[in-house]
């Protein structure tokens, strides 16, 4: 037996919070009866749920957090390259599991893989403006002027404009290290931003998506399932 809000969020596209709200508003019927108590327990195998009169198709979604190593492309299959899916054990390769966004082949760090198309959309949609945090080593001395330029929103010579981001210089020298937060996911965005500042990227690692940080216990190439709290955290960042 499991809590109604847990069943609803685990087996549907609703987050735990959205599920609780739907239940509280009496929009969820369990076996034909409105249930307003999110903690009420049911058997997920047998309960028939409707939301606003529509039967819920019970389908467990799977979402993983991968510490992507360099050398893998963010795709489900590729004729030439190794893909991030190859890092997922056969028993965890759920149907429709795909990367929620892309990291370049040489970029490392946090990549979310999900079978939940709705969740994927909420993570990558430009409208949602989910912040992504990167750590980067660049060639050249990063200065406050670079941080100011990122905060103002970098405009490329081509006219392309990036939204304002946040650059925190961690180490300044011939090679500098910085944390960079951006809320878009354009092609090679960090590399193009840093190149525009004249500081080409040497290494790039994603450390967070929204409020969800890469689990420090995951070695490169390792992954784990995301809990509902982890998923909620993405949207709190
Ligand atoms: N920006 C890039 O340039 N590359 C990535 O992989 C991610 C963000």
């Amino acid at each position: 037996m499991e809590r109604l809000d847990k069943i609803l969020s685990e087996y549907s596209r609703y987050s735990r919070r959205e599920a609780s709200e739907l239940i509280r508003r009496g929009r969820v019927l369990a076996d034909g009866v409105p249930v307003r108590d999110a903690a009420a327990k049911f058997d997920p195998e047998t309960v028939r749920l409707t939301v606003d009169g529509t039967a819920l198709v019970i389908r467990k979604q799977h979402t993983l957090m991968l510490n992507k190593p360099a050398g893998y492309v963010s795709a489900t299959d590729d004729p030439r390259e190794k893909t991030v899916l190859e890092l997922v054990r056969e028993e965890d390769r759920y149907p429709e599991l795909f990367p929620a966004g892309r990291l370049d082949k040489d970029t490392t760090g946090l990549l979310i893989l999900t079978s939940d198309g709705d969740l994927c959309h909420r993570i990558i949609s430009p409208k949602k403006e989910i912040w992504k945090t990167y750590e980067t080593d660049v060639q050249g001395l990063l200065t406050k002027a670079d941080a100011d330029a990122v905060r103002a929103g970098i405009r490329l010579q081509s006219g392309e404009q990036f939204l304002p981001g946040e650059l925190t210089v961690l180490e300044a020298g011939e090679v500098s290290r910085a944390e960079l937060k951006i809320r878009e996911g354009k092609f090679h965005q960090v590399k193009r931003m840093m190149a525009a500042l004249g500081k080409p990227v040497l290494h790039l690692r994603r450390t967070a998506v929204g409020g969800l940080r890469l689990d420090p216990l995951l070695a490169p190439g390792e992954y784990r399932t995301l809990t509902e709290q982890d998923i909620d955290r993405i949207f709190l960042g």
Side-chain angles (χ1 to χ4, degrees):
M1 301 290 267
E2 286 180 17
R3 286 174 59 111
L4 183 55
D5 56 351
K6 180 158 188 279
I7 299 174
L8 192 56
S9 63
E10 270 206 354
Y11 294 89
S12 74
R13 64 194 166 85
Y14 300 108
S15 71
R16 187 73 168 257
R17 217 165 329 115
E18 289 166 337
S20 305
E21 187 61 16
L22 288 169
I23 295 164
R24 204 177 56 75
R25 293 183 178 209
R27 290 167 61 184
V28 178
L29 307 192
D31 296 326
V33 180
V35 179
R36 286 173 182 268
D37 177 9
K41 293 206 166 162
F42 295 90
D43 180 350
E45 300 289 319
T46 57
V47 69
R48 284 173 298 112
L49 296 180
T50 61
V51 179
D52 294 335
T54 304
L56 187 81
V57 181
I58 300 272
R59 175 166 169 274
K60 187 149 173 63
Q61 304 287 4
H62 297 275
T63 302
L64 309 175
M65 165 196 282
L66 169 72
N67 184 358
K68 179 189 172 299
Y72 289 80
V73 294
S74 301
T76 50
D77 65 312
D78 190 285
R80 282 175 297 277
E81 306 282 0
K82 289 183 288 183
T83 72
V84 289
L85 256 289
E86 291 173 37
L87 295 163
V88 178
R89 287 182 295 277
E90 193 106 12
E91 67 265 27
D92 294 331
R93 271 190 224 156
Y94 307 105
E96 296 175 48
L97 191 69
F98 49 83
R102 279 167 193 273
L103 291 178
D104 296 337
K105 184 176 164 188
D106 57 350
T107 301
T108 62
L110 174 55
L111 185 67
I112 296 169
L113 303 170
T114 184
S115 62
D116 183 342
D118 225 72
L119 174 65
C120 180
H121 174 75
R122 284 162 65 213
I123 295 172
I124 67 175
S125 164
K127 285 202 200 111
K128 307 283 181 194
E129 294 195 358
I130 302 287
W131 286 88
K132 287 111 191 159
T133 308
Y134 295 87
E135 262 179 30
T136 183
D137 292 332
V138 300
Q139 186 70 55
L141 183 69
L142 279 175
T143 63
K144 182 171 173 302
D146 295 315
D148 290 345
V150 169
R151 195 173 315 112
I154 289 179
R155 192 183 183 85
L156 302 184
Q157 271 178 351
S158 64
E160 190 175 355
Q161 174 79 50
F162 294 123
L163 288 175
E166 288 171 28
L167 179 80
T168 309
V169 181
L170 303 173
E171 265 174 52
E174 256 174 57
V175 169
S176 302
R177 207 158 60 79
E179 180 180 85
L180 177 63
K181 292 184 179 211
I182 56 172
R183 56 188 136 139
E184 300 167 285
K186 292 184 175 163
F187 185 62
H188 293 334
Q189 179 160 346
V190 174
K191 290 175 186 164
R192 291 192 295 145
M193 286 170 72
M194 301 315 287
L197 298 173
K199 319 277 159 69
V201 165
L202 301 174
H203 289 116
L204 186 59
R205 176 169 173 264
R206 184 153 69 188
T207 55
V209 173
L212 178 70
R213 296 199 66 81
L214 177 63
D215 187 333
L217 297 176
L218 292 176
E222 289 184 349
Y223 63 90
R224 71 161 171 82
T225 297
L226 286 189
T227 64
E228 286 157 49
Q229 286 96 319
D230 289 328
I231 293 174
D232 282 348
R233 229 168 257 142
I234 297 172
F235 302 101
L236 296 176

